Amino acid sequence: MTSLFALVDCNNFYASCERVFDPKLEGKPIVVLSNNDGCIIARSNEAKALGIQMGEPAFKAKDVIEQHDVQVFSSNYTLYGDMSARVMQTLAQFTPNLEVYSIDEAFLDLGNFYGRDLNHYAQEMRNTVKTWTGIPVSVGIAPTKTLAKLANRLSKKSKKADGVLVLTDERHIEEALRRTEVGDVWGIGRRYAQKLAGFGIHTALDLRNASDAFVKKNMTVVGLRTVRELRGEACLDLELVAPNKQNICTSRSFGQSVSSLSELQEATANYASRCAAKLRRQKSCAGAITVFLQTNQFRDEPQYFNSKTIALPTASNSTLELLHYANLALQALYREGYKYKKSGVIVSELRPQNQVQASLLDTVDRDKHQRLMQALDKLNSAWGRDKVTCAAQGTTRPWQLKCEKKSPCYTTRLGQLLYVGVG
DNA sequence: TCTGGGGTCCTAGGACCC
DNA sequence: TCTGGGGTCCTAGGACCC
């Protein structure tokens, strides 16, 4: 039995989400900015055609944005998350074996579909997703995940492909590999691409033809897996259930630089609180908490990068407890006289919450904390994130991000209410 | 003025043990 | 004073992904 995978990828996902709800944007260049309105993280085809680069700082593209009346949006993750769920639900109609790989991509197991008209089937998926959600997608089909990724990439490049490319024929696969730069292969980043160029390996085909020993020596077993996948040998299975996270991080750059301990405490309290909520959602407790601080590396100012990790006496997912330890870590870290640009909280050594070893010296009433947290999560899930918070999280939030061009949360009731309230 | 955020996996090397 | 093998655990650093 030969394996067969489809990779379905939403085209310019964030930009497409913005466009679904505002038909006037059809045919216009659109960009979406990262948190803090810093970098460009999504572009419509029209924006790509203007030469605007992925990851480019927004200020560098200012001229071209003004000249061509590019529509600019702050990122709106509530909207994108909701649209993503709709796309995934639609795809699930086509096969029960679906792996949600990222917010805008899914792998489908088509192992039983050999002999069918795969092009036709993929077109049907495309049309259905477009009709039901308004989001355009591309489909790549091939015997391995890595080749399906590659097929998907090429399907977007050719007009003739019309958003679908099936790579099952060996001759077609070879031609596709020849036309793909090695750095565009899934799993080959900038560093490896550079290194490989030094050995005369420039295309995916060159890499496929390299020896196992060479690949293992220079790119570890991970690289070898990629090469085998390029040869059509499936090494990566579908992951039907998303594994729980082993680390959870919440961090942000500040809208403006922050110097005072009290403001950092407020920001850190918010990040710790978000981490705690994420922990409870996956029913985990953390054994350790890390706080880090960074100044602005792009400025010619005194720099300070540091982090502090505290092992918790008993693993926990209580907001109150994590807030306490985050604050201890921050106080140990904090140095006066710096202009901080970014801070964050990482919780690690995660374990299932029902397998936490209680300590004999434990002074925390864990049942009480748990009941309180359940009530908190219930309120916030009904009324919106951060409707109920701890006092330490503050209310003024001078450190908060900039997001000046955010679209309404069209798809969620509360988003609309909030928007009306704010607007 | 303005430069994202959140993850995973692998390896090498040191500390320590028998 | 010299000489091992074999194993585990931890950490830092480097690579990658979206």
Side-chain angles (χ1 to χ4, degrees), chain A residues 156-285:
Chain A
K156 292 183 184 179
K157 296 186 98 177
S158 130
K159 260 225 143 62
K160 201 181 102 202
D162 196 22
V164 170
L165 182 62
V166 178
L167 286 183
T168 44
D169 182 286
E170 173 51 33
R171 278 185 339 213
H172 293 163
I173 293 177
E174 190 165 320
E175 185 52 32
L177 293 173
R178 184 174 292 118
R179 274 198 268 160
T180 302
E181 283 177 37
V182 74
D184 290 330
V185 172
W186 189 40
I188 308 298
R190 227 183 44 238
R191 305 304 286 270
Y192 279 151
Q194 231 171 32
K195 188 169 178 178
L196 289 168
F199 290 105
I201 294 175
H202 302 286
T203 68
L205 187 65
D206 295 337
L207 181 62
R208 187 189 77 168
N209 293 336
S211 79
D212 284 11
F214 167 84
V215 174
K216 183 154 185 216
K217 174 156 177 277
N218 290 288
M219 305 165 71
T220 82
V221 294
V222 182
L224 186 54
R225 201 171 55 198
T226 296
V227 173
R228 291 196 167 138
E229 285 245 320
L230 288 178
R231 294 175 188 151
E233 184 186 329
C235 304
L236 299 166
D237 285 331
L238 224 54
E239 286 184 28
L240 297 176
V241 246
N244 276 346
K245 306 258 185 275
Q246 299 177 37
N247 299 287
I248 290 173
C249 173
T250 306
S251 79
R252 298 280 184 279
S253 296
F254 303 128
Q256 54 212 22
S257 65
V258 167
S259 292
S260 76
L261 177 60
S262 64
E263 285 176 66
L264 287 173
Q265 283 175 310
E266 234 181 78
T268 306
N270 278 279
Y271 305 151
S273 155
R274 287 286 304 137
C275 284
K278 291 176 192 173
L279 280 171
R280 295 195 293 272
R281 202 183 331 151
Q282 71 165 37
K283 298 191 190 330
S284 296
C285 283

Side-chain angles (χ1 to χ4, degrees), chain A residues 123-181:
Chain A
Q123 285 296 351
E124 199 180 314
M125 274 199 271
R126 264 189 102 219
N127 295 336
T128 309
V129 174
K130 176 76 178 159
T131 308
W132 291 13
T133 69
I135 300 289
V137 299
S138 303
V139 185
I141 295 180
T144 69
K145 281 181 157 183
T146 304
L147 286 172
K149 270 275 204 187
L150 197 140
N152 185 289
R153 248 192 105 259
L154 293 175
S155 79
K156 292 183 184 179
K157 296 186 98 177
S158 130
K159 260 225 143 62
K160 201 181 102 202
D162 196 22
V164 170
L165 182 62
V166 178
L167 286 183
T168 44
D169 182 286
E170 173 51 33
R171 278 185 339 213
H172 293 163
I173 293 177
E174 190 165 320
E175 185 52 32
L177 293 173
R178 184 174 292 118
R179 274 198 268 160
T180 302
E181 283 177 37

Side-chain angles (χ1 to χ4, degrees), chain A residues 257 296-303 339:
Chain A
S257 65
N296 190 341
Q297 55 183 319
F298 296 105
R299 293 256 187 101
D300 187 19
E301 289 169 356
Q303 298 288 318
K339 293 180 181 167

